[in-house]
Amino acid sequence: MLAGRRVLLIIGGGIAAYKALELIRRLRDRGASVTPVLTRAAEEFVTPLSASALAAEKVYRHLFDLTDEAEMGHIELSRAADLVVVAPCTADLMAKMAGGHADDLASTLLMATDKRVLIAPAMNVRMWQHPATRRNLATLLADGILTVGPEEGAMACGEFGPGRMAEPEAIVAAIEAALAGGPLAGRHVIVTSGPTHEPIDPVRYIANRSSGAQGSAIARALAALGARVTFVTGPAAVPPPPGVTVVRVETAREMLAAVEAALPADAAVFAAAVADWRVANAAGSKMKKDGSGRPPALEFAENPDILATVGRRTEGRPALVVGFAAETDDVVANATAKRARKGCDWIVANDVSPETGIMGGAENAVTLITGAGAETWPRMSKEAVAARLARRIAEALQ
Ligand code: C5P
């Protein structure tokens, strides 16, 4: 939530400016106040009236507006916010910021502010890839400017590639992370999520029913507390949360490699439903019926146990390693044994018997098993489990 926080939103002149209106609405939904500033070019795309109506605040446009200077000078305006956000941030605005220009209200505010600045770049793919923009981006990053996006996709100009402004939801998540400075600020946490797909041949695979809902919620909750999250996900049904670094994998072995590549980390949460076995004799081309009526014989090989591999590391082990245990009976006894076997610090155990409706459902009922014993939490939404677990992780890393 952003209750009581103030965002100075500089809207640049690009077609993505319409998304800035949606951003205002979403920020206000979360309790933030938004002071919009429109560049002259932005006014070609959205009107000051729409920005002002959505923000329920005065819109600022001109540097030499004497009434504004009497009421609130540009220096004060640049400092009254908790965070300055530029969305869309055009190639021109990036160049101005990198060069330190101050020839209109937006660029002057950006020079005068003593607050952190988050930009959401948006431009044509060629402009984004232009060496000048690359140089400007490097300068801005070195100056400590935060960025969100751009994303890859079809663009209003008809071309395809990176340059599309991040969606309002992703910008809100980046704003929350920037303002969080929360208990996990400066901490890196790895989260695995979703199922794995183990190929039988190039078109067939063995999978499981994990939706990735709990893993996604945990990654979101950790990011909301300010953590830098590396989210290593198998092919899940639920999309990854915004504001985290997503690494997509298919197999257990790819997941282990991605986790090891993401180390070092302060904590790691293994919420993925990893296949215990892979097909050892997976075919290189599509398997066909041979007319004999004999089905192919699949041979299996054991997959690496990612949790146990990381939990047992002697060097570079995260300070806190958290595993999950989906059990159908003797939940606490089995999960306690699993905690010892896998070398992890905590196990989040849950009963996934069909009658609980937990697997694939919106709720979870978990028991947290730590070195101090077992602690059963009331049944709650997967988001609430995630939020509570993230708070516990933050406390443990203090
Ligand atoms: O042994 P079991 O599969 O019940 O253990 C579950 C825990 O171990 C989960 O945290 C899961 O993410 C992790 N795991 C793993 N790699 C495997 C199997 C399980 O990381 N190959």
Side-chain angles (χ1 to χ4, degrees):
M1 287 306 275
L2 292 166
R5 312 311 289 270
R6 175 165 290 277
V7 172
L8 182 71
L9 176 63
I10 296 175
I11 304 177
I15 184 64
Y18 78 93
K19 290 198 215 168
L21 299 180
E22 172 69 9
L23 178 62
I24 296 176
R25 206 181 56 76
R26 286 187 184 230
L27 288 171
R28 294 204 60 220
D29 282 351
R30 291 182 182 242
S33 339
V34 183
T35 308
V37 173
L38 266 65
T39 65
R40 210 174 277 281
E43 290 186 30
E44 302 289 336
F45 294 91
V46 292
T47 69
L49 185 61
S50 23
S52 157
L54 286 164
E57 297 221 8
K58 179 177 165 58
V59 170
Y60 293 85
R61 298 154 66 195
H62 306 302
L63 185 55
F64 299 112
D65 187 327
L66 290 178
T67 318
D68 294 347
E69 285 298 317
E71 282 170 8
M72 183 192 268
H74 61 268
I75 303 288
E76 202 182 329
L77 183 59
S78 77
R79 302 195 178 160
D82 297 303
L83 183 73
V84 180
V85 177
V86 189
C89 188
T90 59
D92 182 58
L93 269 169
M94 283 178 68
K96 279 186 165 170
M97 289 173 73
H101 291 230
D103 61 356
D104 63 2
L105 180 60
S107 53
T108 304
L109 292 173
L110 286 160
M111 283 289 281
T113 189
D114 59 354
K115 297 299 173 353
R116 294 214 290 171
V117 177
L118 169 74
I119 63 170
M123 65 199 72
N124 167 273
V125 55
R126 290 286 160 106
M127 293 171 79
W128 175 246
Q129 287 164 346
H130 194 284
T133 306
R134 305 279 92 203
R135 278 197 304 276
N136 292 336
L137 178 65
T139 304
L140 296 176
L141 291 174
D143 287 348
I145 302 288
L146 306 169
T147 64
V148 52
E151 288 170 2
E152 196 172 283
M155 313 192 69
C157 55
E159 290 184 26
F160 186 92
R164 242 167 70 152
M165 188 170 86
E167 292 302 322
E169 191 191 359
I171 302 177
V172 170
I175 291 171
E176 280 180 334
L179 285 175
L184 287 173
R187 303 291 197 164
H188 178 213
V189 186
I190 300 171
V191 178
T192 70
S193 183
T196 62
H197 283 183
E198 306 295 336
I200 297 171
D201 67 17
V203 294
R204 304 180 179 95
Y205 56 83
I206 293 175
N208 61 65
R209 294 186 196 280
S210 164
S211 64
Q214 187 65 81
S216 239
I218 290 168
R220 182 192 299 270
L222 290 164
L225 294 187
R228 176 168 71 85
V229 178
T230 303
F231 186 64
V232 182
T233 178
V238 170
V244 304
T245 302
V246 181
V247 185
R248 292 180 198 276
V249 297
E250 296 228 328
T251 67
R253 286 188 295 177
E254 288 168 8
M255 189 173 272
L256 174 61
V259 167
E260 288 185 326
L263 289 170
D266 297 288
V269 181
F270 294 91
V274 185
D276 290 327
W277 307 94
R278 67 176 177 278
V279 179
N281 58 341
S285 48
K286 189 183 169 198
M287 288 158 84
K288 295 197 168 52
K289 283 181 276 195
D290 64 5
S292 71
R294 276 195 311 275
L298 298 182
E299 286 166 25
F300 288 89
E302 197 169 345
N303 266 333
D305 190 312
I306 304 165
L307 169 60
T309 307
V310 174
R312 302 209 169 285
R313 275 177 85 103
T314 44
E315 257 176 54
R317 182 190 186 277
L320 185 67
V321 174
V322 183
F324 274 71
E327 305 283 347
T328 50
D329 40 27
D330 287 337
V331 177
V332 172
N334 284 332
T336 305
K338 192 168 286 178
R339 174 177 173 272
R341 203 166 58 240
K342 299 214 183 201
C344 53
D345 302 292
W346 297 352
I347 282 270
V348 182
N350 52 1
D351 185 347
V352 291
S353 317
E355 63 273 18
T356 64
I358 282 172
M359 199 80 174
E363 291 194 331
N364 210 347
V366 310
T367 301
L368 179 67
I369 292 160
T370 69
E375 189 184 299
T376 298
W377 295 356
R379 191 172 170 129
M380 56 182 101
S381 71
K382 288 184 176 172
E383 279 71 30
V385 169
R388 191 156 167 175
L389 184 64
R391 277 199 304 277
R392 290 294 292 266
I393 291 172
E395 281 162 26
L397 293 181
Q398 287 303 302

